Amino acid sequence: DGSYEQWRWALPALEAGKPTFIDKPLAMNARDALQAIRVAERHNALLMSASSLRYVPDIQALKEEARQIGPIHLATTICGNELIYYGIHALEMAYEVLGSGATSVLNVGQRGRNICRVRFWNGHDLVLLVGERDYMQAGYQICLHGLRGWRTLAPNLSNLYAYLMQRFVEMVHSGVQPVPNREMHEVIAVLEAGVRSLEQGREVSLAEVMAEGEA
């Protein structure tokens, strides 16, 4: 609805223990994302919130290719528009292919031109590039730089919402969430850390961002 607070409208369904899909982003900050997750956990409700780009066939194929060209120590992912509301598409492509475990974010870009180095627990780095409309055309791309090869992909977005909803239906039948709660929380925290890093001119740890709301 443009309010950026769709998670609030999902709370009655979660409180009733219903399997619930919340459109991306789960929330505009990690604190609110954690609130929704905690309600789901308290009521044993299955929760899914994900970018539709996670599940398009091209990204699923790249996930398999990554094993062949890896290990992958460096990767880049790109999209247009605002960092949290749209940057989640680029970030979640990388998460689906490479996995989670970010520890810090350093945004060395400028206002409207985000260049976020996302560091992971294993020392690997992802560069997340998100430029707003005044600076770049919208689109999506991911590049993997592995020891045994490189891959660059601009995914085919045909029927992308069908693949997303298929995963939701599978979750309902299986009782298994396609994205763990911690990963949904982490993705929002990475994006929020990117915003903070640019504003504050420093590297921001995921522990700092994710701890907010824990008390």
Side-chain angles (χ1 to χ4, degrees), residues 79-91:
C79 78
N81 295 317
E82 190 271 338
L83 180 57
I84 295 180
Y85 200 77
Y86 288 99
I88 191 169
H89 288 307
L91 182 61

Side-chain angles (χ1 to χ4, degrees), residues 54 59 62 66 71-79 83 86-109 114-130 140-146 151-153 183 186-191 193-194 197 203-204 206:
R54 272 186 182 259
I59 293 298
L62 186 64
I72 296 167
H73 299 283
L74 293 166
T76 59
T77 187
I78 305 170
C79 78
L83 180 57
Y86 288 99
I88 191 169
H89 288 307
L91 182 61
E92 288 209 23
M93 285 194 298
Y95 264 62
E96 183 65 16
V97 171
L98 301 173
S100 61
T103 58
S104 67
V105 181
L106 178 63
N107 190 339
V108 297
N114 299 279
I115 306 170
C116 300
R117 187 224 62 205
V118 184
R119 179 150 294 166
F120 287 78
W121 66 271
N122 54 13
H124 298 176
D125 286 327
L126 169 71
V127 179
L128 171 65
L129 302 173
V130 183
Y140 304 98
Q141 185 184 70
I142 181 170
C143 300
L144 308 180
H145 312 285
R151 294 291 185 277
T152 299
L153 172 67
E183 185 170 330
E186 181 181 314
V187 164
I188 302 301
V190 167
L191 297 168
S197 176
E203 186 171 358
V204 176
L206 264 287

Side-chain angles (χ1 to χ4, degrees), residues 141-203:
Q141 185 184 70
I142 181 170
C143 300
L144 308 180
H145 312 285
L147 282 179
R148 295 193 294 272
W150 290 15
R151 294 291 185 277
T152 299
L153 172 67
N156 183 334
L157 306 184
S158 301
N159 303 314
L160 73 170
Y161 295 116
Y163 300 115
L164 180 67
M165 290 297 96
Q166 182 180 4
R167 292 301 179 112
F168 177 75
V169 172
E170 289 172 0
M171 179 186 80
V172 173
H173 287 297
S174 69
V176 178
Q177 293 185 185
V179 183
N181 286 338
R182 178 172 175 82
E183 185 170 330
M184 287 189 284
H185 185 203
E186 181 181 314
V187 164
I188 302 301
V190 167
L191 297 168
E192 183 180 354
V195 171
R196 289 192 193 186
S197 176
L198 186 61
E199 290 175 346
Q200 300 173 13
R202 65 180 180 93
E203 186 171 358

